[in-house]
Amino acid sequence: MLGTKTDKKNIELIKLLAQLRDHIDIHRIIGLNVDSLRNSDISNAFIGYLQKAAQESLAIYFCKIFESSTRNELNSIPGIIGSLPPTALSVDQRSAFFAFGKKYGNDAEPMEAKPHLKETVGLFYGIHSGTLDRLKEFRDTIGAHSDSKTALDSLPSHAEFETLYSFAADFYGLVSRFVINAGPAMVPRRADKGLVKLMESMGVKAPRFDFDADE
C-alpha cells in the first residue's frame, strides 16, 4: 500500500508525533526543574514563554492527532482509519491487530482492518474521553482563541500525555508495519537533551530529566 492515501496520511501522522514528542519533553523538563530555573541565570520571562508555548502546542497537536472530521481530510487517527479500503487480514496481520487491540481493551478477534481499528480506537477514546475533552477545551478556549469566559488554566497530567502518545505511536507502527508494509520511522528526541544542556550552561545544577519510578 505504498503511495496510497493511507500511506501518505500515516507519514503525516508520524511527523505530528515527532513534534508532539518535543512538546511533551519540554513541558516535562520545565515542570520538574521550575524551582531551580527560577534561581538560575535563565530569564524567568523566557522560561514562562517556553512553558506556555509547550502547553498550547500540546493541546493543539493532541487534537490534530485524535480528532475526526466529516468535512476535512485529516491526517489524524480517525482520518487514517477512514482512508482504509476493505481489507481482509492475513494470519500475521490478525495476530498484530489482536495484540494492539488487546493492549487497549479490545479482545475481539480481528478479521478486517477497518472495523477492528474503529472498535479499538472507540474503546480507547471512551476510557480517555475526559482527558481528550479537556485538551480540546484548552485548545479551543486558550490555544486557538482567547475566550474571556474560560476558567480552564491547566492541562491533564504528564502520565496522561504519555498514555495518549503511546497509543498514537502504537497505532502508527501497526499501520506502517502491517497495512503499508513499510518499516516505521523512528521519532528522534533531541529537544529535551538540548534544553538540559542549556540549563546546565546557565547554572542549573543536576537538572532533572524525567520523573522517578515512584512518581
Side-chain angles (χ1 to χ4, degrees):
M1 291 185 67
L2 286 170
T4 62
K5 181 187 289 189
T6 301
D7 181 28
K8 292 174 182 176
K9 285 178 175 288
N10 208 44
I11 290 170
E12 294 305 312
L13 175 62
I14 192 59
K15 293 178 183 178
L16 294 174
L17 284 168
Q19 294 174 80
L20 176 60
R21 183 69 261 170
D22 284 342
H23 301 320
I24 293 173
D25 290 342
I26 295 299
H27 186 264
R28 181 192 72 249
I29 290 171
I30 292 175
L32 286 171
N33 296 280
V34 64
D35 290 335
S36 298
L37 284 164
R38 286 173 182 155
N39 297 318
S40 74
D41 293 332
I42 304 177
S43 163
N44 287 339
F46 173 69
I47 292 299
Y49 162 78
L50 197 60
Q51 187 172 39
K52 185 174 184 294
Q55 287 178 334
E56 293 181 356
S57 296
L58 278 169
I60 289 169
Y61 273 80
F62 272 122
C63 289
K64 284 183 178 182
I65 288 166
F66 284 96
E67 275 190 336
S68 59
S69 174
T70 57
R71 294 177 298 172
N72 302 307
E73 282 281 348
L74 301 183
N75 300 313
S76 63
I77 289 172
I80 290 170
I81 294 174
S83 74
L84 287 169
T87 306
L89 299 174
S90 68
V91 173
D92 288 344
Q93 286 175 316
R94 275 183 290 192
S95 177
F97 273 69
F98 180 78
F100 173 75
K102 187 173 181 62
K103 182 176 180 179
Y104 294 105
N106 183 8
D107 292 324
E109 188 69 33
M111 300 305 295
E112 290 190 14
K114 193 169 186 174
H116 190 264
L117 286 175
K118 276 187 174 180
E119 186 175 356
T120 302
V121 169
L123 287 168
F124 182 84
Y125 277 34
I127 293 169
H128 299 281
S129 59
T131 296
L132 291 167
D133 288 346
R134 194 173 178 189
L135 286 163
K136 185 178 185 301
E137 184 180 359
F138 191 98
R139 188 276 310 268
D140 291 346
T141 59
I142 297 175
H145 307 287
S146 179
D147 189 336
S148 61
K149 296 180 181 179
T150 186
L152 184 66
D153 59 1
S154 63
L155 288 167
S157 70
H158 178 77
E160 291 172 290
F161 293 155
E162 292 292 355
T163 297
L164 296 183
Y165 177 86
S166 293
F167 178 84
D170 286 347
F171 174 90
Y172 160 77
L174 178 74
V175 172
S176 182
R177 286 189 185 95
F178 295 98
V179 177
I180 309 301
N181 294 319
M186 301 299 292
V187 174
R189 296 180 69 170
R190 301 190 185 97
D192 51 2
K193 295 179 177 64
L195 178 57
V196 167
K197 286 183 179 179
L198 172 64
M199 290 163 59
E200 289 173 333
S201 71
M202 298 295 283
V204 178
K205 304 297 184 184
R208 295 184 65 189
F209 184 77
D210 210 342
F211 291 93
D212 295 332
D214 57 350
E215 289 185 280

